[in-house]
Amino acid sequence: MELRQLRYFVAIAEYGTFSKAAAKVHIAQSALSHQLAQLEEELGAALFLRSRRGATLTEAGALFHVHALSILRQVADAQASVSSMLSAPSGRVIFGLPHSVSHALALPIIAAVRLELPLVNLELTEELTGNLSQQLQAGALHLSILFDDGHMDEFLYECLVSERMSLIDQPSSAPGRIRTSVSFREALSQPLILPAQPHGVRPIIENAALKAGLPPPNVVADISSISILRNSLLAGLGQTILPVMPLKAELEEGLLRSVPIRSPALTRTVALCHARHIPLSTAAQAVSVVARRVMKELCQKKIWTDATFIGVKSGDAFSSDFKTRAHNAE
């Protein structure tokens, strides 16, 4: 199996026809078909379904596509890392952010990387946490923010921020009633709109309820979109349990209100992660250092509301080079 065969395969998958893929990779269509045939023979499976309309991935092809992209990305990372040894970090870094932290982190990280790492091409992708976890493990992402739910052993990670969670609803849901806090039991009993399992805060809330010996949350709607969740809350369709940052604008305008949860207090831990089995490129290590410092500054300056920087490493988290860079940056 050769790298060029992987590139040809990925091009066919991307463009959907052999003619367009051949033009993209600058070889004759017959040569492209021959290389693909050799690849399929080696794998023992058909990778595409051919038709008059073009080529679509088979089930085996879709599985192989994930691995091909990861391999090609690692080759590009290796080349960029070697080139960066004698110069500033450079190359592409794909960084995943969950919907519920992008409001706090996206713009500050973009601005910091642009200023400090001008040769790095940072690509931010916003996704559900369950999807981010799968993409990180498959090698489609270099780095990702995930929430520590006690099941992150497949990653190298650093727990950086603890966020307090609150019960959030419309002020009109209890007119004239001002509460400074609400018990976890009471919060769980409210008509709640939460992300579907295994995304976002849902596993954190359910695990905390189980640990405290409390009933599971009274979920009236599974909504794994911050924008739809926001509109649902504004329409009075229910309440939610979240940190305040995703809904900060509505809370400041008085359209929504938040009440901290007590007995026990409910928090989520924000972690910076990468796959165990894929080395970080020099550029990705540099971005991770910048991201860590940005998160620390946002917490210390109270820009990230209800968040505390904790900076706890998970054993062998990240590389020794990362740790050295992080220490020097601070």
Side-chain angles (χ1 to χ4, degrees), residues 58-111:
T58 62
E59 184 176 355
L63 177 61
F64 186 68
H65 186 243
V66 174
H67 292 284
L69 288 173
S70 176
I71 292 168
L72 292 175
R73 197 210 82 191
Q74 290 179 62
V75 171
D77 288 349
Q79 294 170 333
S81 292
V82 172
S83 299
S84 298
M85 287 182 65
L86 302 176
S87 60
S90 63
R92 185 184 183 204
V93 176
I94 309 175
F95 196 145
L97 294 178
H99 296 297
S100 59
V101 299
S102 62
H103 180 74
L105 285 180
L107 294 183
I109 287 179
I110 290 172

Side-chain angles (χ1 to χ4, degrees), residues 212-294:
L214 297 173
N218 174 30
V219 180
V220 297
D222 294 305
I223 297 178
S224 300
S225 161
I226 287 295
S227 60
I228 299 176
L229 173 61
R230 178 186 296 110
N231 291 337
S232 300
L233 295 175
L234 292 173
L237 299 182
Q239 303 172 46
T240 195
I241 296 175
L242 268 182
V244 300
M245 278 302 290
L247 301 166
K248 186 176 181 180
E250 290 75 17
L251 290 165
E252 290 178 345
E253 293 174 18
L255 300 175
L256 296 174
R257 66 174 177 181
S258 65
V259 182
I261 295 172
R262 56 173 169 76
S263 305
L266 191 61
T267 62
R268 73 175 180 186
T269 302
V270 181
L272 179 61
C273 312
H274 77 87
R276 282 185 176 275
H277 62 287
I278 303 175
L280 273 183
S281 67
T282 302
Q285 289 188 42
V287 169
S288 68
V289 172
V290 171
R292 186 184 196 275
R293 193 186 66 254
V294 166

Side-chain angles (χ1 to χ4, degrees), residues 123-278:
E123 177 183 333
L124 292 185
T125 179
E126 185 182 46
E127 270 279 7
L128 299 172
T129 51
N131 297 342
L132 289 173
S133 179
Q134 293 174 6
Q135 292 172 19
L136 191 62
Q137 186 66 11
L141 301 174
H142 293 90
L143 299 164
S144 184
I145 296 296
L146 295 174
F147 306 124
D148 185 7
D149 58 0
H151 299 91
M152 294 211 307
D153 290 341
E154 60 189 317
F155 304 116
L156 294 179
Y157 64 96
E158 189 177 14
C159 295
L160 294 178
V161 173
S162 176
E163 267 190 301
R164 187 179 71 189
M165 293 201 280
S166 298
L167 181 67
I168 301 175
D169 61 7
Q170 274 192 327
S172 59
S173 63
R177 184 182 177 190
I178 299 176
R179 296 184 293 182
T180 57
S181 65
V182 60
S183 71
F184 188 28
R185 179 186 293 274
E186 185 179 354
L188 291 170
S189 69
Q190 303 305 307
L192 294 173
I193 303 171
L194 295 177
Q197 279 280 21
H199 303 299
V201 298
R202 183 68 170 271
I204 297 172
I205 294 169
E206 294 192 351
N207 290 340
L210 182 64
K211 184 177 180 180
L214 297 173
N218 174 30
V219 180
V220 297
D222 294 305
I223 297 178
S224 300
S225 161
I226 287 295
S227 60
I228 299 176
L229 173 61
R230 178 186 296 110
N231 291 337
S232 300
L233 295 175
L234 292 173
L237 299 182
Q239 303 172 46
T240 195
I241 296 175
L242 268 182
V244 300
M245 278 302 290
L247 301 166
K248 186 176 181 180
E250 290 75 17
L251 290 165
E252 290 178 345
E253 293 174 18
L255 300 175
L256 296 174
R257 66 174 177 181
S258 65
V259 182
I261 295 172
R262 56 173 169 76
S263 305
L266 191 61
T267 62
R268 73 175 180 186
T269 302
V270 181
L272 179 61
C273 312
H274 77 87
R276 282 185 176 275
H277 62 287
I278 303 175

